[in-house]
């Protein structure tokens, strides 16, 4: 067990008054989120303890999210980040949801306050903020989204919130694409549609966003034929391991404006830090911590 593998059931901390927060998820040892929170807390003089609650390493592995939340709350945690596979399941354990979390149908940040549990989705805000800062003025007439899974849902709602007039959604699972389009259209009728033909969709799109796992170190390649990229497209990827995916490399070679997955990863943490501590973090400092952890 690693030294930061603390959490519900762990011995009392040497810093009893530290603000305790953490990340619950399966297989999270490589996450850069703890380092961003710890470094920002230290820079602001906040005694903050960020624990990795890796459910793969618990005995038995994969406990129910409700039991984990009960124990964390009883032990005085101020809040938790939540990741795979608990982002939807955790919603049943909360007292209130932010508008963003309700729309996306997933929670990645829980705040414990006054005996109540509040759920937020900072992935949605994180992608939107990264897009606004990294690709200012990006055309929003028509956007092609590749991937309608957990992260794709947050991205889709962020894109519509950022003004996408038409959102074309492609996924190897037709059901996933249709479900996400329906979720968007429930709030913004007529904005989203399933895109069964990638060539036709790319021809109409101003921008293309990858929210599939394609391009990750363990899944090399891209979810779209790279010859469909055109210099007029802006291209964003949310994969961040590696930051330079085949999609982004090809897009840059074609002269497209591009955005890496770092923005979403950093800004989801920026917003979560604010929710946990009530303090405004220095986003550039958190990004520097993220980047210091390797490409
Ligand atoms: P997920 O498994 O919930 O969803 C992935 C979706 O992509 C699925 O619906 C799947 O059917 C679809 N898909 C896979 N390959 C495809 C292909 N070739 N063509 C079309 N569709 C395809 O995963 P997720 O939680 O949504 O995460 C997706 C990726 O996003 C992760 O691998 C991770 O790299 C990245 N991510 C980044 C951030 C960030 O902060 N930057 C946050 C979360 C996830």
């Amino acid at each position: 067990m690693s030294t930061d593998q603390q959490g519900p059931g762990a011995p009392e901390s040497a810093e009893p008054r530290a603000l305790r927060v953490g990340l619950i998820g399966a297989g999270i040892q490589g996450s850069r989120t703890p380092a961003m929170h710890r470094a920002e807390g230290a820079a602001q003089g906040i005694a903050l303890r960020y624990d990795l609650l890796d459910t793969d390493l618990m005995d038995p592995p994969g406990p129910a999210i409700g039991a984990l939340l009960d124990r964390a709350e009883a032990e005085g945690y101020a809040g938790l980040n939540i990741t795979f596979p608990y982002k939807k399941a955790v919603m049943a354990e909360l007292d209130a949801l932010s508008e963003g979390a309700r729309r996306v149908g997933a929670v990645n940040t829980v705040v414990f306050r006054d005996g109540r549990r509040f759920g937020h989705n900072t992935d949605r805000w994180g992608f939107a903020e990264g897009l606004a800062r990294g690709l200012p003025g990006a055309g929003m007439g028509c956007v092609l989204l590749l991937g309608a899974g957990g992260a794709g849902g947050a991205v889709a709602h962020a894109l519509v919130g950022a003004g996408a007039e038409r959102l074309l959604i492609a996924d190897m699972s037709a059901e996933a694409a249709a479900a996400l389009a329906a979720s968007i259209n429930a709030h913004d009728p007529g904005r989203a549609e399933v895109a069964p033909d990638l060539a036709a969709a790319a021809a109409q799109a101003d921008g293309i966003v990858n929210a599939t796992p394609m391009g990750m170190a363990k899944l090399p390649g891209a979810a779209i034929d790279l010859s469909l990229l055109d210099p007029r497209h802006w291209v964003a990827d949310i994969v961040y391991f590696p930051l330079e995916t085949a999609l982004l490399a090809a897009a840059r070679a074609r002269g497209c404006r591009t955005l890496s997955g770092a923005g979403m990863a950093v800004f989801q943490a920026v917003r979560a830090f604010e929710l946990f501590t009530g303090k405004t973090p220095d986003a550039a400092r958190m990004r520097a911590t993220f980047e210091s952890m390797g490409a």
Side-chain angles (χ1 to χ4, degrees):
M1 191 178 282
S2 71
T3 50
D4 58 2
Q5 185 56 43
Q6 300 158 336
E12 271 308 299
S13 164
E15 318 159 34
R17 284 191 299 277
L19 187 82
R20 282 181 82 175
V21 292
L23 172 64
I24 293 182
I28 52 176
Q29 296 302 313
S31 174
R32 300 186 190 190
T33 296
M36 286 191 279
H37 284 270
R38 289 171 187 150
E40 185 59 20
Q44 295 210 20
I46 300 168
L48 180 145
R49 171 177 153 177
Y50 195 108
D51 299 332
L52 266 186
L53 311 179
D54 190 334
T55 58
D56 275 355
L57 303 184
M58 292 180 186
D59 184 20
I65 186 67
L68 290 171
L69 247 56
D70 287 348
R71 288 164 63 188
E73 189 174 22
E75 292 187 7
Y77 277 72
L80 292 164
N81 283 130
I82 309 291
T83 190
F84 178 83
Y86 297 110
K87 285 185 183 180
K88 286 189 186 295
V90 74
M91 296 176 76
E93 310 295 334
L94 305 176
D95 296 302
L97 295 174
S98 70
E99 171 65 11
R102 199 176 53 73
R103 283 203 179 208
V104 176
V107 161
N108 78 327
T109 304
V110 173
V111 174
F112 298 113
R113 187 165 297 145
D114 302 328
R116 301 186 77 218
R117 299 168 175 183
F118 299 88
H120 302 266
N121 189 302
T122 74
D123 288 333
R124 171 181 183 255
W125 185 86
F127 180 80
E129 193 67 13
L131 181 69
R133 294 194 190 205
L135 287 177
M140 285 288 159
C142 179
V143 180
L144 169 58
L145 173 65
L146 308 168
V155 169
H157 284 272
L159 286 166
V160 170
E165 289 163 31
R166 283 180 73 208
L167 185 64
L168 310 180
I169 302 173
D171 195 293
M172 66 196 332
S173 158
E175 292 80 10
L180 181 53
S183 149
I184 295 287
N185 290 333
H187 297 285
D188 296 286
R191 296 279 276 279
E193 53 201 272
V194 175
D197 179 344
L198 283 183
Q204 299 170 66
D206 299 301
I208 299 173
V209 183
N210 177 51
T212 78
M214 295 301 296
M216 293 178 73
K218 61 184 178 190
L219 282 173
I224 189 168
D225 177 350
L226 298 174
S227 70
L228 295 175
L229 298 177
D230 185 272
R232 73 185 164 74
H233 290 131
W234 56 265
V235 178
D237 207 324
I238 70 162
V239 167
Y240 61 86
F241 187 70
L243 284 174
E244 177 81 341
T245 58
L247 174 67
L248 291 188
R252 203 169 296 113
R254 293 243 161 174
C256 304
R257 296 171 73 201
T258 61
L259 181 73
S260 81
M264 180 176 180
V266 170
F267 285 108
Q268 61 78 24
V270 164
R271 181 79 183 116
F273 184 92
E274 199 168 15
L275 290 165
F276 291 152
T277 65
K279 308 279 187 210
T280 303
D282 182 329
R285 194 160 53 201
M286 291 184 80
R287 188 176 183 114
T289 302
F290 178 90
E291 287 174 352
S292 75
M293 300 183 76

